[in-house]
Amino acid sequence: MSAPWVNTTEFSINPFSDSIPSFLSSEIRSSEDIFTLNFTADDGFIVYINGQEAGRYLMPTGDVNYNTLASTYANGNPDNGTLSLPISLFKRGANTIAVEVHNNSVSSSDIYFDAALIHKSFTSADANYVCETEEFIMPNSGDLELIACYEKLSEEELAKKEGELNERVTQIMMSIPNIIDDSVPIGKDDSENVEVQRYGEPVVPDFEVPYHTDIMALFDGIDKEAAGRVAGEGFYYLMGDIARLHSAVTAYARDFMIDKGFTYCIPPFMIRSNVVSGVMSFEEMDAMMYKIEGEDLYLIGTSEHTMIGRFIDQTLDGAKLPLTLTSYSPCFRKEKGSHGIEERGIYRVHQFEKQEMIVICKPEDHMEWYNKMWQYSVELFRSLEIPVRQLECCSGDLADLKVKSCDIEAWSPRQQKYFEVCSCSTLGDAQARRLNIKYKDEETGKTQLAYTLNNTVVAPPRMLIAFLENHLQADGSVYIPEVLRPYMGGIDKIVKK
């Protein structure tokens, strides 16, 4: 759109043209250190350089120097004039200059910019500058015209500049949150998450349920004190039957997912920074990830990161989608933020193990898989005779990349409330876009971004907390559900030493 006060035909001159229009001066004013605007105007105008006022044309005729500003605008018939400004004011970085001109009113005026003089002022034996213009209408503040002059670069310099700009664009893109699904409830934080359904009847026993580490201590199954001496807070030793129970739960979860048709994987436990930034937001990275000093490597916070990263810069065969994967890994987290480390217990720690489920699919299939995945979590916990509920995460509780998410929470007889044990999410194409994960549609032949989903299968120690509290007996033993007994050597309970 052309501003009403700009004569675009006369304004849009070629700075490399040998033919300079007659209404423009062909002389550079005073010296190479002065930049000259030649114009006609009936209202005057203001020139801004990088947001700072650099000069005004205020009088009907004559020159107005940057250091000599009058206090009133001129009115009356159009007159010729010149505004002179030091060239140093126009430089933005090493290779760029910019001029912003604000008209004093929206009435008709002609302001002619001598683009040829701009070119001459910024031409040297080894550097060429190209001048371009952009026009804007600024409501309630008059009109704005921008002249940007930039240096013509060599192929090597252009490639470097292109890389810098691409990196900047990527940084901006990664700071933009995903678009949430229409079904996500609106809320400010996790206090406004919505309970959807309960599975299994919560039980409150007629005896006192001890704190979970106290239950473990009954079986000589935990040593936090020694772990504190070795590694500090947020670590623990598991021993004996409690350690065996930990392994049994993860092995059962592995086989449970294999039986659902998922492929079992053991991934790398470290990933490079480009994968980290591809699977999570900067805020999540800062709060979670441990950096390996002197190397471009991070310890994984969940195997989701390394499993999704496996497909970076890959174009998948659409006929082979969805990819359904389940992976085991240790997980390492700083747990920086409002929650922090739980000093007494093992609910929130720096190191733990987890069985994860991952799906990479076509866009049209992601909600179907989202519903399957959280239902798998419910089915697994109910097979272990642990009551759970599904909690729909509200908008304020969604991480930046998530489209939709829900938590599966287990019943705590001791606290007589539910607590999170699984988190199921669809991230749409957010991770795929960052990591360049695409697929080629087998029918149309078109290439497009894949969708990614993830969910916890089990994550001891939280699973252990739910397991021990729900299966503790009055005599101090812990009941072992039938499905877990093959992984516990056939025993049906753990007894105190």
Side-chain angles (χ1 to χ4, degrees), residues 232-288:
E233 290 293 344
F235 298 92
Y236 53 90
Y237 287 95
L238 294 184
M239 301 170 295
D241 286 337
I242 298 300
R244 188 180 189 184
L245 178 62
H246 175 284
S247 297
V249 166
T250 54
Y252 170 65
R254 174 202 64 205
D255 291 348
F256 179 91
M257 294 309 301
I258 291 173
D259 290 343
K260 296 297 183 184
F262 282 60
T263 301
Y264 179 55
C265 304
I266 299 178
F269 302 154
M270 298 183 191
I271 51 177
R272 291 176 172 171
S273 59
N274 63 326
V275 177
V276 177
S277 61
V279 295
M280 62 170 57
S281 67
F282 295 123
E283 291 76 13
E284 290 175 300
M285 184 191 308
D286 179 62
M288 179 188 297

Side-chain angles (χ1 to χ4, degrees), residues 2 33-34 51 113 116 124 142 182 189 242 274 289 294 314 448 462 468:
S2 176
D33 294 327
I34 295 294
F113 299 88
S124 62
D182 291 341
D189 54 35
I242 298 300
N274 63 326
M289 304 298 287
Q314 299 297 303
Q448 63 187 91
R462 293 190 185 184
L468 292 171

Side-chain angles (χ1 to χ4, degrees), residues 138-253:
M138 305 292 287
N140 304 320
S141 62
D143 302 316
L144 168 66
E145 192 75 24
L146 173 66
I147 301 177
C149 296
Y150 56 91
E151 185 178 6
K152 294 187 70 176
L153 304 174
S154 66
E155 289 187 8
E156 293 78 9
E157 291 171 324
L158 186 60
K160 180 181 178 182
K161 178 64 69 174
E162 182 180 13
E164 293 172 352
L165 293 175
N166 282 336
E167 183 177 351
R168 177 61 181 148
V169 169
T170 299
Q171 290 175 346
I172 294 172
M173 180 190 76
M174 289 187 172
S175 69
I176 301 173
N178 209 340
I179 300 174
I180 63 175
D181 190 78
D182 291 341
S183 64
V184 173
I186 303 302
K188 65 176 185 290
D189 54 35
D190 59 2
S191 67
E192 298 187 2
N193 290 344
V194 179
E195 181 179 305
V196 179
Q197 188 172 351
R198 296 186 179 190
Y199 303 86
E201 189 66 30
V203 175
V204 179
D206 56 6
F207 58 88
E208 183 179 353
V209 178
Y211 194 71
H212 60 267
T213 49
D214 294 334
I215 299 175
M216 294 178 181
L218 295 174
F219 307 98
D220 295 331
I222 188 167
D223 190 344
K224 286 201 69 185
E225 183 179 348
R229 294 193 300 269
V230 170
E233 290 293 344
F235 298 92
Y236 53 90
Y237 287 95
L238 294 184
M239 301 170 295
D241 286 337
I242 298 300
R244 188 180 189 184
L245 178 62
H246 175 284
S247 297
V249 166
T250 54
Y252 170 65

